[in-house]
Amino acid sequence: ELSQAVVDAGAVPLLVLCIQEPEIALKRIAASTLSDISKHSPELAQTVVDAGAIAHLAQMILNPDAKLKRQVLSALSQIAKHSVDLAELVVEAEIFPVVLTCLKDSDEYVKKNGATLIREIAKHTPELSQLIVNAGGVAAMIDCIGSCRGTVRLPGIMMLGYVAAHSENLSMAVIVSKGIPPLCACLIEEHEDHIKAAAAWALGQVGRHTPEHARAVAVANVLPTLLAMYMDTCSSEDLQMKATLKNILQKCTYLPALEPLLHDAPPNIMKHIVGQFSKVLPHDSKARRLFVTTGGLKKVQEIKAEPGSLLQEYINTINNCYPEEIVR
């Protein structure tokens, strides 16, 4: 209501004039005010857009003043976040590829706000994400995550997750740009549960599409880390939820990465792991031999499953791949 009152008083066109003034402090505070008006609702953001703010804000992305850049990037993010249409208007102001330079900025807040802007555009549609990929945005974001620590990483992690979530091809773009190692690094290096949770979620989005995607995540040796976080009673509820592995496990047919999990997983995760073995082993003789020699088959015999449960069915399928005396 308060923002609406400011808008109704006719402030927006005047604020747009203020961002065009030469005085840098005035530009900063006017951009900051436009950001604060835009953030509440699509309608309020639209009034800022209708006053012609986007073009003037977009021109200032390359301004040498870091504090001004922070506010400009924030204002554009607050406009773009609400809807596909608003995000497209921001993109049409030709912010790519210039906005990618902000990801290399020496000012941490410029980095963070630049990453947030790209995230708010990427989340809406596969087409907008593809446009970011084509501009080199995924590779730039991966470099950015690798070069900073703490909450500055968060919007970049989420952006990669959003891009990967849209489609197999977009997820593959994250994999090919070597996005998995820095996401794994975030899981291990960060102390805050909400940052770890975002990284776990993003890895799940990358791995959930096909066996090829799941394998790319699995070979990074990140599944045991995720499982440990899922089972750690000190982990936040959100982190436990995001680290369930289910998305990745349901597609993963790369057995060497699944095998270590057989020894630690709780029952609700175990059924997904055993389920994947029951899909692969009947068709792969080499995997069947390995499963015996590594002790996997023995481990499966030790699992206590409810008679008639899905887990029991999976175990029966696996046992049926072998002669009875081996199973005994």
Side-chain angles (χ1 to χ4, degrees):
E1 292 88 68
L2 293 169
S3 275
Q4 192 61 56
V6 171
V7 170
D8 294 342
V12 173
L14 303 174
L15 288 164
V16 174
L17 285 173
C18 291
I19 57 175
Q20 300 168 65
E21 290 283 338
E23 171 66 40
I24 216 85
L26 180 59
K27 279 183 189 290
R28 284 180 198 158
I29 201 69
S32 161
T33 309
L34 289 169
S35 176
D36 285 337
I37 292 170
S38 303
K39 74 181 180 193
H40 300 289
S41 72
E43 295 73 25
L44 282 161
Q46 190 65 53
T47 58
V48 172
V49 172
D50 293 342
I54 292 178
H56 296 296
L57 290 165
Q59 281 164 0
M60 295 190 284
I61 290 175
L62 293 177
N63 193 291
D65 183 76
K67 286 183 178 156
L68 175 58
K69 269 193 290 201
R70 291 177 190 176
Q71 302 302 349
V72 164
L73 293 164
S74 165
L76 289 169
S77 306
Q78 299 292 8
I79 293 168
K81 74 178 184 186
H82 294 291
S83 71
V84 179
D85 293 343
L86 286 165
E88 284 175 346
L89 289 172
V90 171
V91 169
E92 281 160 19
E94 297 182 359
I95 62 165
F96 289 102
V98 270
V99 70
L100 303 180
T101 56
C102 298
L103 300 178
K104 293 190 171 73
D105 205 274
S106 54
D107 184 279
E108 296 282 87
Y109 290 99
V110 170
K111 257 189 194 177
K112 189 177 178 185
N113 293 2
T116 303
L117 170 55
I118 297 166
R119 176 193 75 192
E120 298 297 12
I121 292 167
K123 74 180 184 189
H124 291 293
T125 64
E127 292 73 24
L128 284 166
S129 276
Q130 188 63 56
L131 185 141
I132 293 169
V133 171
N134 297 350
V138 166
M141 193 66 86
I142 290 164
D143 289 346
C144 175
I145 293 171
S147 71
C148 55
R149 293 285 177 274
T151 50
V152 184
R153 279 175 153 174
L154 193 56
I157 294 169
M158 291 173 71
M159 176 267 192
L160 294 177
Y162 282 132
V163 170
H166 285 303
S167 74
E168 285 179 23
N169 289 348
L170 285 163
S171 177
M172 202 39 87
V174 175
I175 294 170
V176 172
S177 303
K178 302 191 171 48
I180 292 173
L183 288 172
C184 297
C186 293
L187 271 183
I188 295 155
E189 293 164 2
E190 292 300 333
H191 305 299
E192 303 260 352
D193 274 7
H194 69 278
I195 303 177
K196 289 183 185 183
W201 170 79
L203 286 163
Q205 299 309 316
V206 174
R208 74 185 178 86
H209 296 282
T210 69
E212 196 184 351
H213 291 79
R215 180 181 176 137
V217 176
V219 295
N221 201 19
V222 70
L223 301 184
T225 310
L226 286 169
L227 184 62
M229 287 176 183
Y230 175 71
M231 293 169 66
D232 185 350
T233 46
C234 301
S235 294
S236 70
E237 210 174 301
D238 183 47
L239 176 52
Q240 287 180 329
M241 205 171 80
K242 300 274 193 334
T244 58
L245 298 173
K246 207 167 78 181
N247 281 349
I248 303 167
L249 291 177
Q250 285 169 340
K251 289 283 187 276
C252 188
T253 53
Y254 181 62
L255 301 185
L258 296 181
E259 186 126 0
L261 306 179
L262 275 174
H263 301 277
D264 304 314
N268 56 337
I269 301 278
M270 185 67 86
K271 77 165 183 251
H272 295 296
I273 300 168
V274 176
Q276 292 309 103
F277 279 101
S278 76
K279 285 180 204 164
V280 177
L281 291 173
H283 312 290
D284 186 335
S285 57
K286 188 175 158 210
R288 284 201 293 275
R289 282 197 300 279
L290 266 172
F291 197 55
V292 179
T293 52
T294 56
L297 186 63
K298 178 172 180 288
K299 180 66 200 153
V300 167
Q301 305 314 313
E302 293 163 12
I303 296 169
K304 307 260 184 289
E306 295 283 317
S309 66
L310 198 54
L311 180 54
Q312 187 60 60
E313 275 179 43
Y314 291 150
I315 293 172
N316 294 344
T317 306
I318 292 172
N319 288 346
N320 291 339
C321 298
Y322 296 94
E324 204 178 318
E325 60 274 16
I326 291 186
V327 175
R328 267 211 306 281

